[in-house]
């Protein structure tokens, strides 16, 4: 039978971190790195998966469709996909799938959403499923929430499924509406992976999410999105650490709105300032940064062409995103990574460095 080949990109979030599961705003864009799935329908009811990104003993996983069971392994992202699709009434047959990705795994650039979206695109094509791109994004989020056990919001799946063409997506996660936002041409976007890995199905992410829920309970709202930045006085009265957690979310939502305005006005200095404020808020209030990431941001801010820099993605490791004057980003990235590697035992990787960075 014929093999279908599909792919989906990773993403870098420009600003709006930990706001998506609070019903707030985000501003991610796709990166050139992608996850590719080659899938062949085999008949029967078995799924056999292989990842080219893992050592042999972890790379292969096989299961009977309809008997998906969480294994605490990478294949859970695919088992979740087939289980949820079947639950929605889609009919699948047996298949073999080979996964290969250039999105670094566990680096805050959303290899997990790229895997889910690429896999659903492959299944859609192989089994003629009537699925649109937003439905794929929503199912991908549910896979992480309901099957993998990572309580992520909708940002990663939406931008991987619906983003591209060099534009960022300004998403309102309350109603899934989105708008393309293009960075001014005179900017360089740089993404550097710290080499410190995180896992969204690990404890920290889910703890933050339940802290937000506790804050909502005390504030009498369903989502922190309902608290505007003018309502911060109420947030200040919360007990710690809920006070700082909620303060991050409320101020970060405002920063996304301010960032979209700064971009439309071509005000890169203001956008850079918002990046720096966002980083401080993640570091001090949300406490999802790590010393290595703080070091990368500090090194970036020491560069004269840099407008701003911040941790991107859920945190606890991962990557930073830098906004720089056009023509200065690539050289700055080299100096930053050299200085970083001389100080810490991790190997940094420059993933994007160029005019407006991302996917073109
Ligand atoms: P991120 O999405 O930031 O990369 P997550 O912790 O959300 O980090 O997801 C990473 C997990 O996704 C990996 O631990 C692995 O289980 C799975 N994964 C993603 N891409 C691949 C791949 N190409 N091959 C195997 N597993 C993958
Ligand atoms: Mg992820």
């Amino acid at each position: 039978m014929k093999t279908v080949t599909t792919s989906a990109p990773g993403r870098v979030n420009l600003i709006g971190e930990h706001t998506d599961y609070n019903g707030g705003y985000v501003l991610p864009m796709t990166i050139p790195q992608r996850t590719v799935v080659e899938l062949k329908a085999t008949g029967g009811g078995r799924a056999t998966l292989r990842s080219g990104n893992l050592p042999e003993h972890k790379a292969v996983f096989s299961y009977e469709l309809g008997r998906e069971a969480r294994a605490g392994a990478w294949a859970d992202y695919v088992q979740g996909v087939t289980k949820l699709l079947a639950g929605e009434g889609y009919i699948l047959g047996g298949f073999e799938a080979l996964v290969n990705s250039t999105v670094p795994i566990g680096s805050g650039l959303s290899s997990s959403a790229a895997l889910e979206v690429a896999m659903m695109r492959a299944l859609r094509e192989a089994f003629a499923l009537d699925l649109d791109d937003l439905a794929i994004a929503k199912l991908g989020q549910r896979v992480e929430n309901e099957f993998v056990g990572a309580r992520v919001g909708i940002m990663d799946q939406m931008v991987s499924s619906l983003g591209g063409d060099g534009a960022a997506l300004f998403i309102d996660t309350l109603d899934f509406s989105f708008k393309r936002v293009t960075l001014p041409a005179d900017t360089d976007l740089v993404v550097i992976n710290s080499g410190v890995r995180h896992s969204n199905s690990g404890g920290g992410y889910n703890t933050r999410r339940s802290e937000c829920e506790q804050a909502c309970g005390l504030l009498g709202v369903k989502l922190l999105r309902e608290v505007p930045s003018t309502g911060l006085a109420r947030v200040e009265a919360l007990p710690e650490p809920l006070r700082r957690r909620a303060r991050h979310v409320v101020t970060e939502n405002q920063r996304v709105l301010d960032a979209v305005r700064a971009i439309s006005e071509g005000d890169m200095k203001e956008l850079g300032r918002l990046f720096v404020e966002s980083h401080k808020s993640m570091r001090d209030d949300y406490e999802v940064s790590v010393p290595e990431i703080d070091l990368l941001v500090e090194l970036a801010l020491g560069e004269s062409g840099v407008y701003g820099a911040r941790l991107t993605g859920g945190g606890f490791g991962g990557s930073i995103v830098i906004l720089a004057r056009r023509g200065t980003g690539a050289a700055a990235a080299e100096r930053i990574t050299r200085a970083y590697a001389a100080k810490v035992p991790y190997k940094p990787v420059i993933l994007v460095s160029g005019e407006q960075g991302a996917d073109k």
Side-chain angles (χ1 to χ4, degrees), residues 25-298:
Y25 305 110
V26 290
L27 187 63
M29 74 194 283
T30 59
I31 54 176
Q33 287 81 3
R34 301 179 79 85
T35 297
V36 178
V37 171
E38 292 168 73
L39 186 144
K40 190 168 76 176
T42 52
R46 231 181 147 70
T48 302
L49 318 173
R50 173 184 285 273
S51 169
N53 298 102
L54 296 175
E56 189 58 30
H57 66 286
K58 289 187 183 167
V60 180
F61 191 91
S62 184
Y63 65 100
E64 207 61 43
L65 294 169
R67 305 194 59 166
E68 290 87 351
R70 189 169 153 184
W74 76 275
D76 288 355
Y77 290 87
V78 183
Q79 290 198 82
V81 163
T82 57
K83 183 177 171 141
L84 264 70
L85 283 173
E88 292 296 308
Y90 293 102
I91 297 169
L92 307 175
F95 63 88
E96 286 171 11
L98 172 64
V99 175
N100 274 295
S101 186
T102 52
V103 183
I105 295 173
S107 299
L109 300 169
S110 202
S111 68
S112 61
L115 173 57
E116 293 144 18
V117 173
M119 184 58 65
M120 275 188 264
R121 285 177 173 171
L123 292 168
R124 171 169 69 184
E125 201 174 320
F127 298 108
L129 308 182
D130 182 15
L131 261 179
D132 66 28
D133 292 339
L134 183 58
I136 284 182
K138 288 180 178 175
L139 277 164
Q141 182 197 14
R142 283 182 55 204
V143 165
E144 300 216 22
N145 292 173
E146 297 171 24
F147 197 84
V148 175
R151 302 184 64 203
V152 298
I154 191 74
M155 167 172 71
D156 299 354
Q157 290 79 11
M158 265 190 81
V159 68
S160 181
S161 187
L162 295 152
D165 301 329
L169 279 195
F170 169 45
I171 303 171
D172 182 343
T173 64
L174 201 57
D175 61 7
F176 308 106
S177 60
F178 60 91
K179 199 175 87 185
R180 288 179 195 282
V181 173
T182 306
L183 282 176
D186 59 348
T187 49
D188 281 354
L189 199 68
V190 177
V191 179
I192 301 174
N193 179 1
S194 68
V196 182
R197 262 174 87 146
H198 80 122
S199 161
N200 279 350
S201 49
Y205 194 101
N206 291 344
T207 306
R208 289 298 174 278
R209 185 150 181 176
S210 58
E211 286 167 345
C212 289
E213 285 166 1
Q214 289 170 50
C216 283
L218 293 174
L219 291 165
V221 295
K222 263 176 86 179
L223 290 164
L224 286 177
R225 155 69 180 274
E226 295 164 45
V227 183
S229 60
T230 49
L232 272 175
R234 289 161 65 206
V235 169
E236 292 296 340
L238 291 172
E240 292 292 10
L242 306 185
R243 179 181 74 95
R244 281 176 298 133
R245 304 295 189 254
R247 188 166 64 185
H248 165 74
V249 175
V250 171
T251 58
E252 186 78 352
N253 270 326
Q254 186 60 46
R255 280 187 288 271
V256 179
L257 298 174
D258 293 346
V260 172
R261 178 162 14 89
I263 290 170
S264 73
E265 291 170 358
D267 189 349
M268 290 303 102
K269 274 208 170 122
E270 170 64 1
L271 187 59
R273 188 190 69 78
L274 292 163
F275 270 39
V276 173
E277 288 302 311
S278 171
H279 183 74
K280 284 186 192 157
S281 180
M282 289 178 87
R283 182 190 66 196
D284 302 335
D285 277 355
Y286 222 63
E287 294 184 284
V288 290
S289 192
V290 294
E292 292 79 9
I293 290 282
D294 293 339
L295 173 62
L296 275 176
V297 167
E298 190 189 310

Side-chain angles (χ1 to χ4, degrees), residues 298-312:
E298 190 189 310
L299 290 167
L301 297 182
E303 289 286 332
S304 61
V306 166
Y307 297 117
R310 54 180 292 277
L311 162 63
T312 185

